[in-house]
Amino acid sequence: MDDVIIVGAGIGGLTLALTLHRAGIACRVYEAADAIRPVGVGVNLLPHAVRVLSDLGLRDALARVAVTTQEAVFFNRFGQLIYREALGRFAGFDWPQFSIHRGDLQAVLLDAFKVRVGADRLHLGWRCVGADQDADGVSVRFCRAGDDGDLPAQRGAALIACDGIHSVIRKQFYPGEGDPVYSGYNMWRGVTRWPPFLSGASMVRAGWLATGKMVIYPIRDAIDADGRQLVNWVVEIETPHYKRRDWNRPGRLDDFIGAVADWHFDWLDVPAFLRASDVVLEFPMIDQDPLPRWSFDRITVLGDAAHPMVPRGSNGAGQAILDAQVLADMLVAHTDPVRALLDYEAQRREVTSNIVLTNRKNPPDAILREVFLRTGDKPFERIEDVIAREELVALSDGYKRVSGSSKEALAGSGRP
Ligand SMILES: Cc1cc2nc3c(=O)[nH]c(=O)nc-3n(C[C@H](O)[C@H](O)[C@H](O)COP(=O)(O)OP(=O)(O)OC[C@H]3O[C@@H](n4cnc5c(N)ncnc54)[C@H](O)[C@@H]3O)c2cc1C
C-alpha cells in the first residue's frame, strides 16, 4: 500500500501514526503549525485511552510526566462533599487514569514518533487546504502555513483528517454545516502552581453551571523545591454569547472570578488560587451535531474533526486515541482502504455520536446538577436526604457505559 497521509499532528494524528507504524503501514504526517509547542492546558486520559497508549509502550513515559489520578470528588458551591469515587488503578482498573498537560501528552507521542516512525515523516508548516481522490489514491493539497504559498500536492493510499475542530476536510464534505452548537456556557481555564490538595491526585468538580462550576485537578507533580504541583482549573458559567473557538484565546480573570469569590474551602482558597494562575484562556463550550457519514472512499475524519464534543467527560483526547486504534486495526484487516475506512466508521461513528449527545445532557457533572436542583442551590444537612448514593453511582456509571470507559467495556473484546 502507498503511504497513508495524516493531516494534523495533534493527539489523534500522532497516535494514529504510531499505531499504523506498529502495524507495518507507512504513513506521513502533515501539520499546519511550524513547530509543535506545548500549548493548551490539562486533559484527562481515562483507562480506555491509557490502554491504547500502554499497548504502544508509552505508559511509563506518560506516568513520568502526568499525575496518576486517584479519585473524583464532587462538591456543591458551599464546599460540601456530594460524592467521591476512586478512579483508574485506584478503582481496580488494569490501567490508570492520567491527568496530564496537553503539551506533555503531545510531547510523549512526538518523541515516540521521531524515534519509531522518523522525524522526516513529519512535515511542519504544511496547511492542508483540500483533497481529491481517484480509484488509485488520494491527492492532498497544501499551502505553506503563514504565507499561503502553494506546496506540492501529496499522493497517498488514503487520507485521514486529524485536523481538529476547524477541520478543512470536514468542511469540504459538509460545506453547509453551519455554525457550531453553543451550549450556553463559556469556559475559562488555566494552570496554577499550588501545593497538593485533598489526595494530591484528586479531580474535583464543584458548583453548577447556572452560578459557576469548577473543575480542578493537578497535571504535574513536584514542579519545584516546595513540592508544588501544576494544577489545571476550569471555570464554566452560563453566558449568553460566545466568541469563535480558539484554543489559545486569552481570557480575563475579572470576567468570571466574581462567580467564585466566596469559595474559601478548607482544602483550597479558590479566589487566591485563581489569582495565582500562570495563564487564563477562554473557550466556549460548543460542539457540532454528529455527522451522518465520515468516510468517503479513501478519505475519512478522526478525533475532533469527526466528533467535536463539549469537554465535560474527559473524552476529547481519549476518543481520538480510540479512533486511531480502530482505524489502524481496520487498515490491517483490509487490503482495500475503502473497505477499511467504512469499517472504521461502522465501529466508531455511532459510539462517538452518543458521547457527543450525552456530553450535552448527562456527563458526569450531572451529579452536580441534580444536587443543585434538589436543594434549590442551598446548603444541605445530609447528602443522603438529597440524593441516594445509588443514584449518584448510577449517574457516574451511566456515563462510563456510554463512553466505553466502564470496567465491563474494558474487560470485553480487548478493543474499544
Ligand atoms: C493548540 C491546541 C490546544 C488545545 N488545548 C486543549 C486543552 O487545553 N484542553 C483540552 O481538553 N483540549 C485541548 N485541545 C484539544 C485536544 O487536543 C483535542 O480535543 C483532542 O485531543 C482530540 O485531538 P485531535 O487530534 O482530534 O485534535 P487536536 O489535538 O486539536 O489536533 C489537531 C491538529 O491539526 C492541526 N491542523 C489543524 N488544521 C490543519 C490543517 N488545515 N492542516 C494541517 N494541520 C492542521 C492542528 O494544528 C493540530 O495540531 C487543544 C488543541 C489544540 C490544537
Side-chain angles (χ1 to χ4, degrees):
M1 201 195 296
D2 280 350
D3 288 1
V4 170
I5 296 196
I6 298 172
V7 167
I11 308 308
L14 289 173
T15 306
L16 178 64
L18 290 167
T19 47
L20 288 178
H21 178 264
R22 185 187 50 184
I25 297 173
C27 62
R28 304 193 300 277
V29 181
Y30 295 85
E31 162 61 46
D34 58 6
I36 305 284
R37 299 183 182 87
V39 280
V41 284
V43 296
N44 262 279
L45 295 176
L46 305 182
H48 57 0
V50 174
R51 174 173 69 173
V52 174
L53 299 178
S54 300
D55 287 352
L56 284 167
L58 300 177
R59 180 162 158 172
D60 290 348
L62 290 168
R64 273 195 291 277
V65 291
V67 169
T68 303
T69 326
Q70 287 189 28
E71 59 171 6
V73 254
F74 295 75
F75 296 93
N76 65 7
R77 72 183 174 93
F78 310 102
Q80 295 179 291
L81 179 68
I82 294 171
Y83 180 62
R84 163 175 262 138
E85 74 174 1
L87 295 175
R89 297 280 296 176
F90 298 86
F93 282 85
D94 289 339
W95 296 273
Q97 173 168 335
F98 288 131
S99 299
I100 187 168
H101 192 292
R102 180 186 178 274
D104 291 341
L105 169 59
Q106 196 178 20
V108 166
L109 296 170
L110 185 61
D111 288 350
F113 177 95
K114 285 180 179 163
V115 171
R116 301 177 191 181
V117 187
D120 58 333
R121 294 206 155 243
L122 171 61
H123 302 268
L124 297 172
W126 287 61
R127 187 166 64 81
C128 174
V129 291
D132 307 298
Q133 60 182 317
D134 52 44
D136 301 322
V138 293
S139 184
V140 189
R141 287 175 274 116
F142 293 94
C143 272
R144 219 182 341 260
D147 65 9
D148 279 357
D150 279 345
L151 288 164
Q154 298 295 307
R155 284 289 289 177
L159 162 61
I160 317 302
C162 308
D163 51 346
I165 53 174
H166 299 296
S167 169
V168 294
I169 299 299
R170 179 179 176 120
K171 202 159 279 156
Q172 176 172 322
F173 288 114
Y174 294 96
E177 195 184 357
D179 290 337
V181 181
Y182 180 46
S183 63
Y185 308 110
N186 204 35
M187 182 165 83
W188 290 265
R189 47 199 301 150
V191 283
T192 304
R193 284 164 282 157
W194 203 260
F197 57 88
L198 297 174
S199 69
S202 301
M203 178 168 188
V204 172
R205 294 181 178 90
W208 180 240
L209 294 160
T211 53
K213 187 197 126 192
M214 284 200 74
V215 184
I216 311 169
Y217 53 87
I219 53 174
R220 273 185 205 148
D221 266 329
I223 55 167
D224 59 22
D226 299 327
R228 289 188 299 177
Q229 298 175 309
L230 192 67
V231 180
N232 184 80
W233 56 263
V234 185
V235 176
E236 299 158 16
I237 311 177
E238 223 169 77
T239 313
H241 308 294
Y242 76 94
K243 299 186 192 125
R244 184 180 185 268
R245 282 178 295 190
D246 173 354
W247 286 114
N248 301 319
R249 180 191 303 285
R252 282 172 7 117
L253 200 66
D254 288 346
D255 287 344
F256 63 89
I257 197 159
V260 293
D262 55 357
W263 288 27
H264 305 288
F265 306 143
D266 54 5
W267 51 273
L268 187 69
D269 184 327
V270 173
F273 166 79
L274 291 176
R275 288 193 190 286
S277 185
D278 288 353
V279 60
V280 177
L281 301 170
E282 181 181 342
F283 196 85
M285 300 247 280
I286 51 187
D287 64 14
Q288 278 153 253
D289 287 331
L291 292 177
R293 183 175 170 190
W294 289 357
S295 297
F296 297 84
D297 298 330
R298 291 169 178 267
I299 304 178
T300 197
V301 282
L302 182 150
D304 281 0
H307 44 70
M309 56 184 73
V310 288
R312 289 175 70 183
S314 308
N315 262 289
Q319 294 301 323
I321 290 166
L322 300 191
D323 289 348
Q325 168 76 79
V326 172
L327 181 50
D329 282 354
M330 292 306 100
L331 282 163
V332 170
H334 304 291
T335 46
D336 175 12
V338 176
R339 177 81 199 283
L341 269 48
L342 280 177
D343 276 12
Y344 151 71
E345 174 176 337
Q347 288 191 46
R348 295 297 297 156
R349 191 167 55 77
E350 195 183 332
V351 174
T352 51
S353 299
N354 279 337
I355 302 172
V356 170
L357 299 177
T358 306
N359 276 13
R360 285 181 186 172
K361 290 201 185 121
N362 268 325
D365 66 14
I367 285 176
L368 299 176
R369 179 192 60 212
E370 284 309 305
V371 173
F372 174 87
L373 293 175
R374 293 181 196 195
T375 58
D377 192 27
K378 299 270 187 329
F380 52 76
E381 294 276 320
R382 288 172 3 116
I383 188 61
E384 299 80 3
D385 300 334
V386 178
I387 186 165
R389 178 153 180 99
E390 299 75 53
E391 244 186 293
L392 295 167
V393 172
L395 282 167
S396 175
D397 286 355
Y399 185 76
K400 288 192 195 114
R401 270 194 299 281
V402 169
S403 64
S405 58
S406 65
K407 267 192 210 135
E408 296 71 34
L410 268 83
S413 62
R415 288 287 182 246

